[in-house]
Amino acid sequence: MIVVAVLGLLATLVGFAVKSYNQLHALLEPVKKSRSGIKIAIDRRCTAVNDLVALTQHFAQSEQLVYLKVSQDMSGAGMAAAYQQSASVLNNVQHIAERYPNLKSNEHFHRIMNNIEACEQEIKQYRHHSNDEVQRYNTCLQQFPRVVIARLIGFSREEYVDLDVSQARAQATAMQVSNDGARRLDHVLGLPPAPIQPPAQLPPSPQPAQLLPAQPHGYQAAMPSLGAAGGPAARGGRTSVVQAMPQVSLRFVAGPLRGRSIPIGAGAMVGREAPAEVVVPDPQVSSAHAWIGMGNTGLIFVDRGSTNGSVVNGSLVHPGHEVQIKDGDVISLGRTNSVSFVIDQA
């Protein structure tokens, strides 16, 4: 009889453990899903802030700014730190914009700020949903006798996500951003100083007057007809004159080519390896990531179906879609914004 009673008790405990595992697992999945949503929205916010930094550097090159690093930390403390850091950088950029009217009135500046505001609303919604799910999970976890065996079956209390940025904003407000390297934003972010080097002035590739660079990968620029000798071609009594191609350069502000300015002529493929004309050795960049050059309607950017995507002025680019770009536009490659450059068009 004693053996039967013991076996019955063990069977009851095992049954209760299995039931508790299933209940806690079902409650934990929404917590993970909503927390993942917060992380994605914060990453998008950081990407937009980095695009804003790049645009600010274009208008205020004497200002010293740093770029946010996208963290892989999914904990509440890790996401709060990333959120606070982006708030500090954003606050300083807004202070700089007050001193540069051209920057403050720029359409890309307002577009990126709108994207940041949209991310803010998304983060707020995900955070409220996440904390509600955490409350349900923790309440179930702490019920007796489930709390006794919870750790034995691999469950522990989940933390709430608190994104209080009051302290970060106070620090950023007290700190004046200038060209004094000792007072860089690295101090706020706790990052080692890494002053941005001025872009290297590379001479543009010489182009013969009678020839224009061929468009790679099927993209054709609108080019006037040339005679056999490379001069104007007579057609119907009219003379077609060769128009000078605009000088376009990619000024890298983040990534392995940071500080370099690379001319692209009439167009170039940007990728991680040859045969791309602009090689960016970064793991977030695809082998043939994107094409930039002159199209029928002007300067365009085309994502070539990259794995990690592209962003122009804070907006995601759909693969294969031609995006009109111009001088001062900020383009980021990769999911973590590891590569960014500014379009310089003379």
Side-chain angles (χ1 to χ4, degrees), residues 250 252 257 262-264 267-281 285-287 290 292 333 341:
L250 311 183
F252 285 84
L257 300 185
I262 301 178
I264 61 171
M269 178 67 71
V270 180
R272 190 178 62 251
E273 58 192 16
E277 290 82 7
V278 180
V279 177
V280 185
V285 177
S286 298
S287 298
I292 305 173
L333 308 181
F341 55 84

Side-chain angles (χ1 to χ4, degrees), residues 59-133:
F59 282 87
Q61 297 185 8
S62 62
E63 302 290 345
Q64 298 292 331
L65 292 168
V66 295
Y67 290 85
L68 296 167
K69 294 182 178 179
V70 178
S71 171
Q72 301 302 319
D73 190 351
M74 288 285 290
S75 67
M79 289 189 289
Y83 186 84
Q84 290 170 359
Q85 290 171 1
S86 65
S88 297
V89 176
L90 177 60
N91 196 66
N92 280 280
V93 167
Q94 290 174 319
H95 280 304
I96 293 175
E98 293 297 328
R99 303 197 300 271
Y100 292 87
N102 290 340
L103 170 62
K104 190 175 181 180
S105 61
N106 183 268
E107 61 174 319
H108 298 322
F109 181 88
H110 290 284
R111 185 184 305 168
I112 295 174
M113 289 297 294
N114 289 337
N115 287 339
I116 293 174
E117 179 62 27
C119 291
E120 189 75 32
Q121 295 301 321
E122 192 174 349
I123 291 170
K124 183 178 180 180
Q125 293 175 3
Y126 274 119
R127 185 176 70 86
H128 287 168
H129 179 67
S130 175
N131 287 342
D132 288 343
E133 296 294 344

Side-chain angles (χ1 to χ4, degrees), residues 155-210:
F155 293 92
S156 59
R157 180 181 175 85
E158 288 291 321
E159 59 184 342
Y160 292 93
V161 179
D162 182 12
L163 302 178
D164 182 15
V165 297
S166 57
Q167 182 178 1
R169 286 177 177 168
Q171 289 178 330
T173 303
M175 180 179 174
Q176 297 297 322
V177 182
S178 68
N179 57 0
D180 182 359
R183 301 168 69 188
R184 290 171 51 83
L185 287 177
D186 302 305
H187 176 70
V188 174
L189 303 183
L191 301 174
I196 297 178
Q197 300 297 326
Q201 298 299 321
L202 300 178
S205 302
Q207 299 292 343
Q210 68 272 23

